[in-house]
């Protein structure tokens, strides 16, 4: 089991988702003689976590539940680490891959998370998690590790499971920072850069596993304290592109990237922003930040995502953040900014990351559980996940004989005074730790005690504020559609201030809000869901759950309403095969009262042909003024007849009087790569060149369908 090791000494040296390939392509790629045929491939999902019930590993869950208070989190989904070839079939105390998949089906889960982790020369910059394969054992990696995994995943019995693969932690970033010319370099990393086996292995894993119709590959991408400097970020994006186009792989085999795997970097630093200045000095000059462009994982993930798209990865790629051990709660957690006497005092007093140095990575003292796993918690973030199962050690604090290929790394020794990678500081590691991947009870108990958000409303957020907000009241279901539910509730109160609310669907956190309303989307039609809300404050204290409410989504073909609104449409482009779609839309108010346009949305449904395509939208002319009109493209998952996307039109402001219409809205959209559409089967498209009522263009008020029929 690895941990993340930044090399902070080198920082200044100086759709996503394509349709899955047919299984025949997989069979041709594998060097195994007989794989069972799988079901016909279907278009892969834009975000596999949407609508998913993730698998809870019973092996980890039992160990967590056996600890005092551990039952509070033992039902959380964690990744299964396939960290050696023996793990595929199972080892003493840990079931194998097939047994995990069978257990997932028995749980009723439809998403399983795996760590693919056995590269030749693995973890070239550390000893604690070295692997079983030598630097030149690429052929063994392919035939003895990747191929058997693919063979099991290809079994038709598991076709209903979404498989998320975390591809090879601690590999590609080391080629950027530790393969020569820096204080953090090692001869092992230089060897792996020279022989190319990290890139070839990652490429083979991406290509082979990506060929399966139900798999989603996320490449490990370090963390902000490793790759966040200018000199590291773009070279890393280039390295990821190189690996993703090696040994048969293409960028279409990559669903996204994961940051902070098994590390302790906070998801967000609430009191220290990289743009802050103190007495005219930027906080980037502080010893802690040391000219890094980022100081938390959310901003790093967004910055890296931009760099990856610039390298040719699809604009729809999503990011994962490992939040399993980055909560940093407890009494040492700051409750506000530090003093403004200097940039160092400001940063050190306000940062919630309480490590001695951002280069420290092994079994960190003072760490706590972070955000619980959640789907689409922020823009561009597919999910918060627990990639590193809490309670599993990063490495032994002293040398331990073993047959797992794991060495003794001094960064796991609390008495070690450090090296160039951590600024020659103490390691901050907990004492008496076992081998990497083995259960570490003392660490797990610390993570529980310092969890942030806390595990209950009794406090634990840090500092002197231990009072939780009051429970949100009056949780109410508002508008519903076939794919969304709108909620509202009464504001909570707190002794300091309520900073936001977490929304839970069927017991799983699905999002957060700063106000007292939230719309949960991506749901299944004609399905009943249960919702609760919890309030939180700046110290990380979290209220108990609100009273639960149930909401049932509408049937997919539902419609109607009494507002009198309707959509009209005309075709502004007779071609069905060029690279732009040009619908003309008009909103008509046939009711007896004015309508607030800021609450109205209109959807034009179409097929994009390629699920990996990103989209651009344009307002060419509008009688209301294009500054009033806002446009975007949404994904339909699962796709429907004639529609896997929709153009959504909204309005920033304005009112539409009874008997009036919006006037002409001349709209246009194109794919990011300007490839051609095939509009011949688009649900909303018509051939009329003058405005006419359009039942296949849908209108919503506050999320409720009031006109038309969805596909």
């Amino acid at each position: 089991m690895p941990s993340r090791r930044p090399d902070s000494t080198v920082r200044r040296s100086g759709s996503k988702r394509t349709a899955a390939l047919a299984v025949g392509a997989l069979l041709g790629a594998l060097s195994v003689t007989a794989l069972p045929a799988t079901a016909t491939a279907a278009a892969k999902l834009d975000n596999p976590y949407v609508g998913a019930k993730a698998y809870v590993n019973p092996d980890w869950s039992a160990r967590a539940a056996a600890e005092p208070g551990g039952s509070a989190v033992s039902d959380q989904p964690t990744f299964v680490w396939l960290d050696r070839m023996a793990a595929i079939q199972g080892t003493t105390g840990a079931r194998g891959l097939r047994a995990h998949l069978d257990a997932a089906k028995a749980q009723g889960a439809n998403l399983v998370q795996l760590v693919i982790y056995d590269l030749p020369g693995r973890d070239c910059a550390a000893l604690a998690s070295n692997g079983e394969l030598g630097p030149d054992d690429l052929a063994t990696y392919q035939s003895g590790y990747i191929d058997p995994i693919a063979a099991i995943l290809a079994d038709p019995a598991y076709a209903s499971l979404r498989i998320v693969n975390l591809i090879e932690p601690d590999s590609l970033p080391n080629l950027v920072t530790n393969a020569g010319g820096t204080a953090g370099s090692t001869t092992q990393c230089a060897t792996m850069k020279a022989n190319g086996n990290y890139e070839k292995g990652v490429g083979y894993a991406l290509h082979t596993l990506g060929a399966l119709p139900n798999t989603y590959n996320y490449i490990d991408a370090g963390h902000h304290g490793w790759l966040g400097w200018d000199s590291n970020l773009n070279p890393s994006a280039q390295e990821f592109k190189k690996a993703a186009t090696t040994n048969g792989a293409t960028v279409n085999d990559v669903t996204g990237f994961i940051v902070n795997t098994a590390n302790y970097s906070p998801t967000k630093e609430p009191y220290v922003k990289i743009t802050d200045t103190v007495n005219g000095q930027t906080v980037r000059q502080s010893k802690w930040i040391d000219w890094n462009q980022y100081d938390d994982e959310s901003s790093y993930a967004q910055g890296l995502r931009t760099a990856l798209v610039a390298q040719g990865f699809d604009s729809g790629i999503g990011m994962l953040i490992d939040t399993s051990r980055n909560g940093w709660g407890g009494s040492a957690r700051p409750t506000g900014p530090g003093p403004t006497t200097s940039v160092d005092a400001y940063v050190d007093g306000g940062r919630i990351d309480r490590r001695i140095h951002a280069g420290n990575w092994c079994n960190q003292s003072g760490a706590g559980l972070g955000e619980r796993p959640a789907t689409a918690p922020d823009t561009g973030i597919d999910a918060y996940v627990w990639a590193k199962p809490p309670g599993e050690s990063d490495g032994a604090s002293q040398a331990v004989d073993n047959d797992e290929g794991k060495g003794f790394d001094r960064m796991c020794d609390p008495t070690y005074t450090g090296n160039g990678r951590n600024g020659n500081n103490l390691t901050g590691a907990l004492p008496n730790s076992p081998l990497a991947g083995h259960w570490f009870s003392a660490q797990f108990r610390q993570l529980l005690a310092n969890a942030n958000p806390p595990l209950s409303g009794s406090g634990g957020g840090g500092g002197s504020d231990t009072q939780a907000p009051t429970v949100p009241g009056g949780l109410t279901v508002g508008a519903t559609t076939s794919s969304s539910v709108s909620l509202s509730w009464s504001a909570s109160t707190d002794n300091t201030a309520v900073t936001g609310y977490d929304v839970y669907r069927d017991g799983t956190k699905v999002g957060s809000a700063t106000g007292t309303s939230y719309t949960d989307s991506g749901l299944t039609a004609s399905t009943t869901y249960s919702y609760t809300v919890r309030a939180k404050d700046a110290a990380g204290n979290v209220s108990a759950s609100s009273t639960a409410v149930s909401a049932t989504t509408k049937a997919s073909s539902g419609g109607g309403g009494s507002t009198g609104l309707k959509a009209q449409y005309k075709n502004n482009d007779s071609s069905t095969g060029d690279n732009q779609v040009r619908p003309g839309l008009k909103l008509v108010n046939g009711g007896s009262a004015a309508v607030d346009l800021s609450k109205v949305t209109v959807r034009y449904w179409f097929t994009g042909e390629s699920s990996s395509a990103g989209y651009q939208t344009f307002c060419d002319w509008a009688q209301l003024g294009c500054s009033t009109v806002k446009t975007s493209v949404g994904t339909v998952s699962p796709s429907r007849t004639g529609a896997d996307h929709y153009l959504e039109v909204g309005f920033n402001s304005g009112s539409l009087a009874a008997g009036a219409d919006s006037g002409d809205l001349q709209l246009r959209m194109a794919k990011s790569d300007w490839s051609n559409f095939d509009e011949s089967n688009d649900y909303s498209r018509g051939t009329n060149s003058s405005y006419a009522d359009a039942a296949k263009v849908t209108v919503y008020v506050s999320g409720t369908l009031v006109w038309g029929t969805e596909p």
Side-chain angles (χ1 to χ4, degrees):
M1 187 78 58
S3 52
R4 313 301 291 141
R5 296 166 311 287
D7 183 348
S8 57
T9 63
V10 301
R11 67 277 184 206
R12 292 188 296 158
S13 51
S15 227
K16 142 177 136 187
R17 337 283 205 198
T18 61
L21 300 177
V23 171
L26 170 65
L27 296 176
L30 299 182
S31 58
V32 293
T33 57
L35 289 179
T38 63
T40 301
K44 292 190 178 182
L45 301 170
D46 180 67
N47 180 354
Y49 287 87
V50 172
K53 179 181 179 182
Y55 168 58
V56 177
N57 180 354
D59 298 334
W60 174 83
S61 180
R63 288 190 289 269
E67 298 285 352
S71 59
V73 295
S74 60
D75 61 346
Q76 293 292 339
T78 56
F79 277 63
V80 174
W81 288 70
L82 302 176
D83 61 350
R84 47 188 167 140
M85 290 182 284
I88 300 171
Q89 298 303 320
T91 60
T92 302
R95 69 194 71 205
L97 175 56
R98 191 176 291 277
H100 278 298
L101 300 177
D102 290 338
K105 292 180 64 179
Q107 287 180 10
N110 67 346
L111 184 143
V112 176
Q113 303 171 107
L114 306 175
V115 178
I116 306 302
Y117 183 53
D118 201 21
L119 272 179
R122 188 180 78 189
D123 273 8
C124 60
L127 298 173
S129 46
N130 284 165
E132 62 188 348
L133 299 179
D136 297 318
D137 291 338
L138 178 65
T140 302
Y141 173 78
Q142 295 177 162
S143 64
Y145 179 69
I146 294 298
D147 288 355
I149 292 173
I152 293 173
L153 298 182
D155 190 325
Y158 308 125
S160 63
L161 297 176
R162 308 174 191 177
I163 308 296
V164 168
N165 298 310
L166 192 173
I167 303 296
E168 294 296 352
D170 298 324
S171 58
L172 302 177
N174 275 318
L175 300 184
V176 176
T177 62
N178 298 325
T182 69
S185 296
T186 69
T187 56
Q188 295 93 330
C189 288
T191 295
M192 300 318 299
K193 184 172 184 178
N195 68 21
N197 282 346
Y198 275 6
E199 296 155 345
K200 295 171 188 175
V202 168
Y204 187 83
L206 290 172
H207 173 59
T208 305
L209 300 175
L212 290 161
N214 57 334
T215 56
Y216 300 85
N217 294 325
Y218 290 83
I219 299 176
D220 178 76
H223 54 88
H224 86 274
W226 188 354
L227 303 181
W229 285 270
D230 293 334
S231 57
N232 293 346
L233 189 72
N234 284 324
S236 296
Q238 293 166 359
E239 178 61 47
F240 297 144
K241 173 68 175 300
K242 182 179 180 182
T245 52
T246 296
N247 218 359
T250 74
V251 293
N252 294 331
D253 291 316
V254 181
T255 301
F257 291 77
I258 180 168
V259 300
N260 205 47
T261 301
N263 199 251
Y264 300 85
S265 298
T267 303
K268 294 182 180 180
E269 280 283 6
Y271 310 122
V272 180
K273 302 301 180 188
I274 206 72
T275 54
D276 290 347
T277 58
V278 177
N279 301 324
Q281 285 187 297
T282 172
V283 296
R284 293 183 66 208
Q285 293 179 249
S286 67
K287 293 179 181 178
W288 175 262
I289 297 176
D290 197 15
W291 295 101
N292 201 317
Q293 289 283 19
Y294 308 97
D295 71 342
D296 60 29
E297 292 306 292
S298 287
S299 60
Y300 166 66
Q302 299 291 6
L304 177 62
R305 187 173 181 274
T306 298
L308 292 164
V309 172
Q311 287 298 320
F313 288 95
D314 188 84
S315 60
I317 59 170
M319 310 297 285
L320 305 179
I321 301 177
D322 184 0
T323 61
S324 59
R325 304 182 304 175
N326 69 349
W328 293 105
S331 60
R333 181 184 173 94
T335 59
T340 56
T341 51
S342 69
V343 290
D344 286 324
Y346 178 81
V347 172
D348 289 340
R351 60 181 168 92
I352 61 171
D353 186 342
R354 303 315 298 170
R355 286 178 290 179
I356 298 171
H357 190 276
N360 290 346
W361 55 266
C362 192
N363 300 322
Q364 289 300 284
S365 176
L369 299 171
E371 291 278 357
R372 311 322 171 235
T375 299
D378 207 346
T379 303
I381 308 299
D382 279 355
Y384 292 154
V385 298
W386 281 8
K388 173 77 169 183
E392 294 188 0
S393 174
D394 293 324
S397 55
Q398 58 186 359
V400 177
D401 289 336
N402 67 94
D403 60 359
E404 300 174 26
K406 297 169 183 175
F408 170 51
D409 196 300
R410 290 297 306 277
M411 290 300 290
C412 299
D413 176 0
T415 68
Y416 181 49
T417 54
N419 53 41
R421 295 183 206 155
N422 80 331
N424 297 297
N425 287 283
L426 285 168
T427 65
L430 291 168
N432 304 314
S433 58
L435 283 172
H438 290 224
W439 189 253
F440 190 8
S441 178
Q443 184 206 53
F444 184 78
R445 297 184 187 196
Q446 172 194 266
L447 294 173
L448 289 177
N450 292 339
N452 197 282
L455 296 179
S456 70
S458 60
S464 59
D465 179 14
T466 60
Q467 181 175 324
T470 60
V471 177
L475 180 59
T476 303
V477 177
T480 61
T481 71
S482 61
S483 60
S484 67
V485 170
S486 294
L487 304 166
S488 62
W489 56 89
S490 300
S492 297
T493 59
D494 187 59
N495 63 317
T496 56
V498 174
T499 58
Y501 301 85
D502 292 332
V503 180
Y504 292 78
R505 182 207 315 136
D506 296 332
T508 299
K509 181 181 171 184
V510 293
S512 300
T514 55
T516 57
S517 63
Y518 180 83
T519 297
D520 186 24
S521 57
L523 306 178
T524 302
S526 302
T527 303
T528 299
Y529 299 94
S530 176
Y531 291 93
T532 56
V533 178
R534 300 177 71 184
K536 55 189 178 183
D537 65 16
N541 302 304
V542 180
S543 75
S545 296
S546 68
T547 300
V549 297
S550 295
T552 302
T553 51
K554 296 183 182 297
S556 61
S557 59
S562 57
T563 62
L565 284 177
K566 64 180 180 180
Q568 293 186 338
Y569 162 87
K570 72 172 182 176
N571 189 333
N572 288 329
D573 182 2
S574 60
S575 173
T576 61
D578 58 13
N579 62 5
Q580 297 181 70
V581 178
R582 297 180 175 87
L585 299 178
K586 184 184 291 186
L587 188 64
V588 179
N589 184 2
S592 59
V595 174
D596 182 354
L597 284 175
S598 67
K599 298 180 179 180
V600 176
T601 52
V602 182
R603 287 183 178 178
Y604 176 94
W605 304 78
F606 69 99
T607 58
E609 286 70 61
S610 171
S611 61
S612 67
Y615 295 90
Q616 308 172 71
T617 60
F618 310 88
C619 175
D620 290 332
W621 189 84
Q623 185 171 314
L624 297 172
C626 280
S627 62
T628 303
V629 179
K630 52 186 179 181
T631 56
S632 62
V633 171
T635 301
V636 181
S637 180
S639 60
R640 307 176 191 176
T641 301
D644 53 19
H645 291 83
Y646 54 82
L647 170 66
E648 184 163 284
V649 183
F651 304 90
N652 294 312
S653 60
S655 176
L656 187 61
D661 64 64
S662 64
D664 199 8
L665 304 176
Q666 296 181 14
L667 308 173
R668 179 166 51 93
M669 58 184 167
K671 298 177 186 178
S672 297
D673 61 2
W674 291 94
S675 61
N676 288 340
F677 289 89
D678 177 8
E679 299 180 59
S680 61
N681 63 340
D682 287 0
Y683 178 78
S684 294
R685 186 181 186 276
T687 58
N688 49 296
S689 58
S690 58
Y691 277 111
D693 291 353
K696 292 185 177 182
V697 176
T698 50
V699 180
Y700 307 82
V701 175
S702 299
T704 298
L705 181 65
V706 299
W707 164 263
T709 303
E710 294 183 344

